[in-house]
Amino acid sequence: MSATPLFQLSRVGYEYPNGGVALRNIDLTLVAGECLALLGANGCGKSTLIKLLNGLQFPTSGQITAFGHALSAVELRNPQTNSRFRSRVGYVFQNADAQLFSPTVYEELAFAPLQMGLNREEVAQRVHDIAELLRLTHLLERAPFQLSGGEKRKVCLGCVLTMNPEVLLLDEPTTGLDPRSQEELTTLLQQLALTGKTLVVATHDLSLVGRLATRCVVMNEQHEVEAVGETKT
């Protein structure tokens, strides 16, 4: 396993404003090129941990560093720091409908690279390449709400891939998909892992874990890390 640290979590905790605990005393290191599976019962904190890694929420205790720098609300208020971080880390929501908002699939795929400041010719090339990879070309002029669940999930992944991030964070990526769509998505994630992408996947799908994960983190109902271990090859 590579020794290059991408994320370092030290004694990280997260409490809701009402005092409810989502995470407690999380110590975790994410290294380049691994696929980390987050396992545990509903409500144990997997989704919260994914959001902390993506800078959508911030710890109420402890510290997270990303790419050697503190990951905090203060740091991400700097536009350059925020842009740099967002270009390196992509997040695929558990609920596809919460991620999709543009009138067409093409505009969904083009949105992030346009926000990154790429010119329209380069954006068009990225959209074309990702649409080919995900077999979405025939859907580019369709409205996202017209798509099936599996198609929406692929568009969400495509929205992230057009940024070409180093790290992909996925929250329950196969939930609600039919067996064919699950197989297509799992195969695609395997291909991405082979290209050197770093993946963090929160899931209940043990078949996905068996085929994809290089390391597993098991969380308990006390919102702590119960066990960490490499998967057998």
Side-chain angles (χ1 to χ4, degrees):
M1 183 182 293
S2 169
T4 305
L6 298 184
F7 286 83
Q8 183 77 51
L9 286 72
S10 179
R11 306 294 289 175
V12 165
Y14 185 84
E15 291 188 9
Y16 298 110
N18 65 5
V21 175
L23 293 170
R24 181 183 287 117
N25 296 329
I26 305 297
D27 291 319
L28 188 64
T29 299
L30 179 68
V31 298
E34 73 172 322
C35 178
L36 183 71
L38 300 178
L39 306 176
N42 287 335
C44 68
K46 300 188 303 295
S47 293
T48 300
L49 182 52
I50 289 275
K51 290 175 182 175
L52 292 180
L53 292 174
N54 193 53
L56 290 179
Q57 295 175 340
F58 301 96
T60 53
S61 62
Q63 184 180 32
I64 300 177
T65 59
F67 310 106
H69 301 280
L71 178 58
S72 66
V74 172
E75 291 291 328
L76 292 187
R77 286 194 194 107
N78 181 302
Q80 290 184 330
T81 301
N82 187 67
S83 177
R84 195 160 49 240
F85 177 77
R86 299 298 170 199
S87 70
R88 299 181 76 175
V89 181
Y91 173 44
V92 179
F93 288 65
Q94 181 175 352
N95 178 5
D97 290 325
Q99 187 168 347
L100 302 175
F101 56 85
S102 297
T104 67
V105 170
Y106 182 95
E107 290 170 278
E108 290 285 3
L109 297 178
F111 180 81
L114 285 172
Q115 297 305 305
M116 290 167 57
L118 301 183
N119 63 59
R120 289 193 174 274
E121 182 176 319
E122 185 172 355
V123 170
Q125 186 61 55
R126 288 198 183 196
V127 170
H128 170 77
D129 292 344
I130 295 303
E132 285 282 317
L133 175 67
L134 299 179
R135 292 189 289 179
L136 294 171
T137 304
H138 64 294
L139 300 175
L140 287 176
E141 300 307 318
R142 293 272 296 275
F145 75 86
Q146 297 175 322
L147 305 180
S148 70
E151 290 168 340
K152 287 180 180 179
R153 196 63 61 88
K154 287 200 291 184
V155 172
C156 288
L157 182 57
C159 292
V160 170
L161 293 180
T162 54
M163 298 189 301
N164 193 27
E166 297 172 42
V167 181
L168 291 171
L169 309 173
L170 302 106
D171 193 358
E172 300 288 356
T174 59
T175 296
L177 298 184
D178 61 72
R180 178 180 176 182
S181 296
Q182 287 184 16
E183 177 61 27
E184 288 180 347
L185 183 58
T186 300
T187 300
L188 177 61
L189 293 177
Q190 288 178 305
Q191 293 171 346
L192 291 172
L194 289 174
T195 68
K197 298 293 185 188
T198 302
L199 307 180
V200 180
V201 184
T203 185
H204 294 291
D205 185 348
L206 295 184
S207 66
L208 176 65
V209 174
R211 292 175 58 182
L212 191 65
T214 55
R215 193 161 59 109
C216 294
V217 172
V218 180
M219 301 184 65
N220 60 34
E221 294 184 359
Q222 287 71 51
H223 314 285
E224 300 170 327
V225 171
E226 181 72 22
V228 180
E230 296 186 9
T231 57
K232 295 181 180 179
T233 57

